[in-house]
């Protein structure tokens, strides 16, 4: 939300004066609360008149940002600009620049928000983003408006308005040490991006070399060869191969094709549908090979520059992460405010007592201020931090490094962990298992790769050698890991050479495929790939046209999903037991690829080049199956089992194929064999049809007698009524997630509560998904290894990178061990740190309250504890306890529940309250009971009485007159029987509550394993008892204590022991009794307020959930319908959709808008 303000000179002057008078305190307040600065200095006004804007986020945090409106003057440019409002400044009629420049002033207003520049659009009356070409441009616009390049004048205008094409990260100064290391990493990551030399085409001037920071949207970028792309660009001429590892996390070469020359006015992205990315070169990716079209060099139009690019968006997500709302810190502050309030009450209590006794104002003020500071221990902030320091040190020993220590406590609350698949759960890439060839419509004997023999020559081998998208780069074969593994299995090789020696019917080719030394004997000397129809996830197949050496005809080879390939084959070539054989492999978790071929009767290469894909991919012969396995890392299954037993939910977010992801989820037991899997497929609105979402059940079937296997039903099925209550998992692709996010927002929480597999997810979708989980009140951990995980790693409460590359910059945690064992380690340490923080917080709170009660009692008679008594409690006990209490190691086994995450929880509040009550009762009773003793006298008031009764003491000490003081009341005196009685009680109480609050199992190891803490606690207790029972004059004189009869000292010790036993029983047996609290919650029907818990309860009572084998349409709450695909014919479905489309086009307009 944006609000306009105009600065008032008088207000600003008043604020400056007040800032000086408050010694800068007001400026500090304005720094923390920018909205106060704006409200104090400015008055509200319309946005078009504003010189300051106030931005407010629309999330739960409602954060404010203040931005100055800047003016850019085009009159500073070195060439004349027309002041006629009718004349366009830039050739692009869709550009916001034409609508932003005010004429005849030749200036425009802009603001800079999180590195992105926005200019004021006078037509739309709002701020619009610049630094990119508008999406409303059609393919025709891009080719004809920008195809020849921009004029040098338009380039200058765009450079001024859009700013430099640079991703600049300033290194933080030394005083910002917490973020300095991260800013240095980010600076190194992006600094090379700004120094690339590029060649562009300038209109009417030809080619020009310049630095990449001078690029502007609309420039024509010439791609000569290898290049690190400094901007986002759309390819318009030629093709190229790009390594998009920065985006996808997998260094797989991707072929980019030029934007088609379409004549329509449809926006170019809509024209290409979801495949528009195949035309786009993204910033930060590497061009590794270019293929000119023959009409000149490879060219691309600059789409986006600077922080508007894909890489800029990634860096922005790191620089400006969504703030995390962890209640521990906010509640700790509120708790400290409450303790300070107690101190204020004590302050007025002290004022009243001392003023009543007519003590001097100086002494009164001193004593009152002393009591004011007692309740809030100054060591509290440091004590809360020390737990994370110890945890960080232990994590470092496990090779887990942390750049955001405050997140360690958050790890203790994690109840959902998202995992990337490739390289995280599984090994990188696939392994070959075997081939199953066919002959005469029947499957033949399986060829196993494990035996060390290459695939025997035949049509299947020819298809495997040629049907791929591999390229030869610097003598190395590169491409998709699946293609690479398949090609390696043939033992053939690629070579860059002229092929005149082979009779291919043409002169040459860039790449020739020939048998390698280990290949099976082949009658074919070489194969050449003439044309490629690339793989598409929507088509689930790819095919090539190839020619074998010394053959006059051509071959079409296809590979893809088995069900898809079988559709394009002649039925007589597909084995009858095809579904059963396919099922037997897929259920074991194998990745199955089918291959097919056909002969082409074409004679000329020109005919091959113009052959339509539909004609090539028809009437094929089925060749067989290629079986591959995506092996899990050996650590994956045990770790997921450990997390499951700890009731921590696991989710897979991957860029890989959905079926592969489901298989990996089943193999890793992320999805248990007894669970149901429901695949969700959602589609965007099409013309008059609204957006739709389909639910397809993939149930397990009964195993056949004598077989310990479960098969997947490929056909239609429905969920039996008895299985409605069984556990189920949703699986979907990134495309479906996006549609549901946009058109079925009310469904999204219901799906996420049981969503387990999210495949084909883009980096932005990964971040969005993590954020949606957080909205459901999950504490989310994210574990990944690629740059495509950066946004999600930063968004999660705890992001763990298994890579030291880009991902480690974004991630709070980085593991040097490249497997997911780091996840339970981190959660264990997080839980231990969180419990330690709560323990230390409770201890210091109780320490302040216990001491506060004792001082209140002594103030009643104008007394205080002595300096050495304070030092003994503060230094020898409290400080040492705080430094060592948190060093207890984490318990090695994850408990099936989390520690409390709130300070304002019944357990903690009751613990503090009851222990305060126990301490208050003991101290008050001791204070008054000591006055009833026959040997008691008011030492601080009547010294003669004290000396007369000293012979009754069971002590050999001789007390001198210097112990007694005057007969009159002296404010601030120390020596008394009350202080001598209360001090050991308070000291022993501080020691015992430190022991009580240092709980071990289930989140930390037992207290005795913390050797230093146990030693210090035992030493402090021993020292206190020694002082209590010693009859050494120097000790008593130094500690300002009075020796008492032995029986009284023994009674003090017994009282402290009873106090400890009661407090320990209440804390350990009652307050820490989880079963008791669960029983109370059940009895009084207390339920968790977390959103995901509410949804779980709601869905458990919904008999219609989960929906299976049906389709839902957006807006169906009013007039929607379900289609059960298992029972309705396609004709009925089409009629129903047409009927709905005709009725609800207008009603769904606003949804689509």
């Amino acid at each position: 939300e944006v609000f306009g303000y105009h600065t008032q000179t008088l207000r600003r002057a008043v604020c400056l004066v007040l800032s000086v008078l408050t010694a800068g305190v007001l400026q500090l307040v304005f720094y923390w609360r920018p909205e106060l600065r704006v409200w104090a200095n400015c008055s509200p006004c319309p946005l078009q008149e504003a010189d300051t804007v106030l931005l407010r986020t629309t999330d739960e945090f409602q954060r404010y940002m203040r931005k100055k409106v800047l003016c850019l003057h085009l009159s500073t440019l070195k060439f004349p600009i027309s002041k006629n409002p009718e004349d366009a400044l830039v050739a692009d009629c869709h550009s916001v620049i034409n609508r932003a420049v005010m004429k005849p002033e030749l200036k425009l207003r802009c603001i800079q928000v999180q590195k992105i520049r926005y200019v004021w659009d006078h037509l739309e009356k709002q701020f619009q983003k610049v630094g990119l070409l508008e999406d409303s441009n059609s393919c025709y616009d891009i080719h004809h408006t920008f195809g020849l390049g921009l004029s040098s004048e338009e380039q200058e205008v765009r450079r001024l308005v859009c700013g430099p094409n640079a991703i600049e990260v300033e290194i933080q100064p030394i005083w910002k040490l917490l973020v300095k290391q991260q800013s240095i990493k980010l600076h190194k990551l992006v600094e090379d991006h700004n120094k690339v030399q590029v060649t562009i085409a300038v209109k009417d001037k030809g080619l020009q070399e310049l630095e990449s920071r001078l690029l502007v949207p609309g420039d024509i970028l010439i791609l000569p060869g290898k290049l690190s792309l400094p901007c986002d660009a759309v390819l318009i001429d030629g093709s190229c191969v790009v390594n998009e590892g920065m985006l996808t996390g997998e260094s797989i070469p991707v072929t980019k094709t030029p934007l088609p020359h379409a004549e329509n006015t449809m926006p170019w992205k809509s024209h290409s549908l979801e495949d528009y990315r195949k035309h786009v070169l993204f910033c930060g990716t590497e061009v590794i090979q270019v293929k000119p079209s023959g009409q000149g060099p490879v060219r691309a139009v600059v789409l986006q520059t600077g922080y508007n690019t894909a890489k800029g968006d990634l860096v922005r997500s790191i620089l400006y992460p969504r703030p995390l709302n962890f209640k521990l810190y906010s509640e700790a502050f509120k708790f400290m405010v409450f303790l300070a309030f107690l101190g204020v009450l004590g302050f007025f209590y002290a004022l009243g007592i001392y003023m009543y006794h007519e003590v001097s104002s100086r002494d009164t003020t001193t004593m009152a201020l002393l009591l004011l500071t007692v309740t809030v221990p100054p060591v509290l902030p440091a004590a809360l931090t020390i737990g994370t320091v110890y945890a960080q040190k232990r994590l470092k020993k496990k090779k887990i490094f942390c750049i955001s220590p405050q997140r360690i406590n958050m790890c203790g609350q994690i109840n959902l962990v998202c995992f990337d698949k490739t390289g995280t759960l599984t090994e990188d890439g696939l392994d070959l298992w075997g081939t199953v060839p066919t002959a005469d419509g029947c499957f033949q004997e399986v060829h196993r790769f494990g035996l060390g023999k290459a695939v025997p020559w035949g049509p299947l081998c020819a298809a495997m050698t040629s049907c791929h998208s591999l390229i030869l780069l610097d003598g190395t074969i590169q491409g998709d890991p699946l293609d690479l593994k398949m090609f390696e299995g043939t033992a053939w090789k690629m070579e860059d050479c002229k092929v005149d020696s082979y009779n291919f019917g043409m002169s040459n080719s860039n790449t020739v495929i020939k048998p390698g030394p280990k290949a099976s004997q082949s009658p074919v000397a070489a194969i050449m790939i003439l044309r490629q129809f690339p793989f598409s996830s929507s088509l689930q197949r790819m095919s090539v046209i190839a020619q074998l050496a010394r053959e006059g005809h051509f071959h079409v080879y296809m590979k893809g999903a088995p069900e898809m390939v079988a559709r394009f084959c002649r039925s007589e070539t597909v084995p009858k037991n095809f579904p059963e054989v396919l099922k037997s492999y897929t259920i074991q978790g194998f990745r199955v690829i089918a291959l097919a071929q056909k002969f082409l009767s074409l004679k000329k290469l020109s005919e091959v080049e113009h052959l339509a894909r539909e004609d090539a991919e028809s009437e094929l012969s089925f060749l067989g199956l290629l079986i591959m396995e995506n092996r899990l890392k050996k650590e994956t299954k045990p770790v997921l089992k450990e997390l499951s037993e700890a009731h921590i939910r696991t989710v897979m977010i991957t860029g890989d194929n959905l079926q592969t992801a489901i298989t990996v989820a089943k193999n890793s037991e992320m999805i248990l064999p007894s669970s149901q899997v429901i695949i969700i497929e959602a589609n965007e609105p099409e013309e008059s049809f609204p957006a739709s979402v389909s639910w397809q059940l993939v149930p397990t079937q009964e195993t056949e007698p004598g077989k310990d296997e479960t098969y997947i039903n490929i056909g239609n099925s429905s969920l039996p009524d008895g299985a409605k209550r069984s556990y189920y998992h949703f699986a979907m692709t990134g495309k479906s997630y996006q549609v549901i996010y946009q058109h079925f927002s009310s469904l999204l929480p219901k799906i996420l509560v049981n969503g387990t597999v999210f495949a084909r997810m883009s980096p932005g979708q990964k971040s969005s998904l993590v954020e949606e989980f957080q909205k459901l009140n999950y504490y989310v951990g994210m574990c990944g290894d690629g740059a495509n995980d950066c946004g999600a790693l930063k968004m999660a409460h705890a992001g763990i990178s298994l890579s030291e590359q880009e991902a480690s910059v974004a991630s709070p945690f980085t593991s040097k061990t490249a497997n997911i064992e780091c996840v339970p380690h981190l959660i264990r340490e997080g839980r231990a740190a969180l419990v330690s923080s709560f323990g230390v917080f409770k201890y210091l709170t109780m320490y302040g309250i216990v001491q506060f009660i004792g001082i209140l009692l002594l103030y009643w008679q104008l007394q205080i504890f002595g300096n050495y008594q304070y030092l003994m409690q503060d230094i020898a006990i409290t400080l040492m306890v705080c430094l060592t209490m948190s060093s207890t190691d984490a318990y090695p086994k994850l408990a099936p529940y989390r520690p409390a995450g709130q300070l304002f929880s019944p357990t903690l509040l009751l613990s503090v309250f009851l222990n305060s009550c126990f301490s208050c009762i003991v101290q008050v009773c001791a204070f008054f009971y000591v006055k009833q003793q026959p040997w008691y006298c008011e030492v601080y008031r009547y010294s003669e009485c004290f000396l007369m009764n000293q012979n009754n003491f069971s002590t050999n000490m001789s007390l001198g007159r210097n112990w007694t003081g005057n007969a009159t009341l002296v404010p601030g005196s120390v020596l008394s029987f009350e202080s001598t009685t209360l001090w050991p009680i308070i000291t022993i109480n501080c020691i015992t509550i430190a022991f009580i609050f240092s709980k071990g199992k289930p989140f930390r190891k037992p207290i005795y394993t913390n050797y230093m803490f146990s030693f210090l606690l035992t030493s402090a207790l021993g020292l206190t008892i020694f002082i209590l029972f010693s009859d050494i004059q120097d000790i008593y004189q130094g500690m300002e204590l009075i020796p008492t009869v032995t029986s009284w000292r023994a009674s003090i010790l017994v009282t402290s022991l009873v106090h400890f036993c009661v407090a320990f029983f209440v804390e350990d047996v009652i307050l820490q009794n989880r079963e008791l609290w669960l029983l109370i919650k059940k009895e009084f029907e207390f339920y968790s307020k977390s959103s995901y818990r509410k949804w779980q309860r709601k869905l458990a009572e919904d008999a219609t959930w989960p929906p299976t084998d049906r389709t839902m349409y957006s807006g169906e709450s009013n007039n929607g319908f379900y289609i059960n695909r298992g029972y309705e014919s396609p004709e009925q479905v089409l009629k129903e959709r047409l009927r709905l489309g005709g009725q609800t086009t207008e009603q769904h307009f606003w949804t689509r808008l």
Side-chain angles (χ1 to χ4, degrees), residues 228-476:
S228 177
L229 286 162
C231 60
D232 288 355
V234 58
L235 205 59
I236 60 170
D237 258 336
S239 61
C240 60
V241 179
V242 181
N243 179 1
E244 291 189 341
M246 195 279 293
L247 290 178
T248 64
E250 299 172 357
S251 298
I252 301 170
V254 178
T255 300
K256 299 289 183 176
T257 57
L259 190 71
H261 288 264
E263 297 293 331
N264 57 38
T265 57
M266 185 188 301
W268 69 275
K269 284 186 178 179
S270 303
H271 180 271
S272 301
L273 299 177
E274 73 268 14
D275 287 337
Y276 78 90
R277 295 170 66 92
K278 69 185 178 185
H279 311 307
V280 179
L281 309 172
F282 293 101
C283 177
T285 60
E286 301 280 339
V287 176
I288 53 180
Q289 196 175 75
V290 295
K291 299 176 181 177
S293 61
Q295 302 172 357
V298 177
R299 302 185 305 147
V301 175
V302 175
L303 271 182
Q304 298 172 137
T305 57
Y307 277 95
N308 292 293
T309 62
K311 187 170 184 176
D313 195 45
L314 170 64
V315 176
R316 284 177 66 241
S317 71
I318 297 169
L319 290 174
Y320 306 104
R322 180 172 171 268
L324 293 170
N325 184 14
F326 191 46
K327 292 183 179 179
L328 172 64
Y329 303 114
S330 59
E331 289 180 350
F333 177 75
K334 293 175 184 176
F335 213 91
M336 290 173 71
V337 170
F338 168 73
L339 294 177
F341 175 72
L342 284 183
V344 171
L345 292 180
F347 175 81
F348 288 109
Y349 166 82
L351 282 180
I353 293 291
Y354 275 75
M355 289 172 69
Y356 174 78
H357 287 286
E358 298 179 354
V359 178
S360 68
S361 57
R362 180 180 177 183
D363 288 343
T364 300
T365 305
T366 304
M367 292 299 131
L369 289 174
L370 177 66
L371 196 56
L372 177 67
T373 61
V374 165
T375 53
V376 184
V379 77
L380 187 57
L384 287 175
T385 306
I386 197 89
T388 60
V389 172
Y390 281 122
Q392 192 173 5
K393 189 176 179 181
R394 292 193 294 266
L395 286 171
K396 193 172 182 180
K397 290 180 180 177
K398 296 182 174 72
K399 297 185 178 180
I400 301 171
F401 298 88
C402 173
I403 61 171
S404 182
Q406 69 270 22
R407 298 211 187 200
I408 293 176
N409 278 333
M410 291 187 185
C411 296
Q413 285 291 290
I414 286 176
N415 54 358
L416 184 149
V417 183
C418 302
F419 292 99
D420 182 34
K421 183 185 74 69
T422 308
T424 303
L425 297 175
T426 64
E427 302 287 354
D428 289 316
L430 295 160
D431 292 311
L432 294 172
W433 185 85
T435 58
V436 189
T438 59
D440 301 325
C442 297
F443 282 113
Q444 304 300 303
E445 185 180 349
V446 177
H447 170 78
R448 289 291 304 275
F449 286 101
L451 302 176
K453 294 181 181 179
V455 179
W457 171 254
L460 184 64
C461 180
M464 289 173 62
T465 58
S466 56
C467 192
H468 51 71
S469 57
L470 300 175
I471 62 169
L472 193 64
L473 186 67
D474 298 331
T476 305

Side-chain angles (χ1 to χ4, degrees), residues 133-168:
L133 290 188
E134 278 68 15
D135 289 340
S136 51
N137 282 298
S138 65
C139 296
Y140 179 86
D141 292 332
I142 289 178
H143 277 284
H144 291 82
T145 305
F146 306 106
L148 297 176
L150 301 176
S151 65
S152 55
E153 290 81 10
E154 183 171 336
Q155 283 179 327
E156 290 298 325
V157 171
R158 286 181 178 268
R159 280 173 193 151
L160 177 65
V161 176
C162 301
N165 173 40
I167 301 175
E168 294 171 333

Side-chain angles (χ1 to χ4, degrees), residues 117 236 264 340 380 418 459 499-500 644 688 743 788 886 936 1024:
R117 182 175 289 180
I236 60 170
N264 57 38
L380 187 57
C418 302
V499 291
D500 301 72
S644 176
S688 60
H743 302 282
N788 59 327
S886 302
Y936 171 80
T1024 306

Side-chain angles (χ1 to χ4, degrees), residues 61-121:
F61 302 99
Q62 298 278 293
R63 290 167 294 140
Y64 284 93
M65 285 181 286
R66 169 188 168 272
K67 296 293 176 183
K68 291 291 290 181
V69 178
L70 306 174
C71 280
L72 299 177
H73 296 272
L74 273 69
S75 56
T76 58
L77 297 174
K78 297 179 181 178
F79 55 89
I81 296 176
S82 171
K83 296 184 179 181
N84 186 351
E86 301 298 323
D87 294 341
L89 277 173
V90 294
D92 179 11
C93 61
H94 301 279
S95 176
V96 70
I97 297 175
N98 289 324
R99 305 192 297 272
V101 176
M102 293 183 285
K103 292 184 178 182
E105 296 92 341
L106 292 181
K107 68 176 184 179
L108 54 81
R109 301 165 65 244
C110 67
I111 57 174
Q112 190 107 349
V113 183
Q114 293 187 349
K115 306 291 187 182
I116 299 292
R117 182 175 289 180
Y118 298 82
V119 297
W120 178 253
D121 185 333

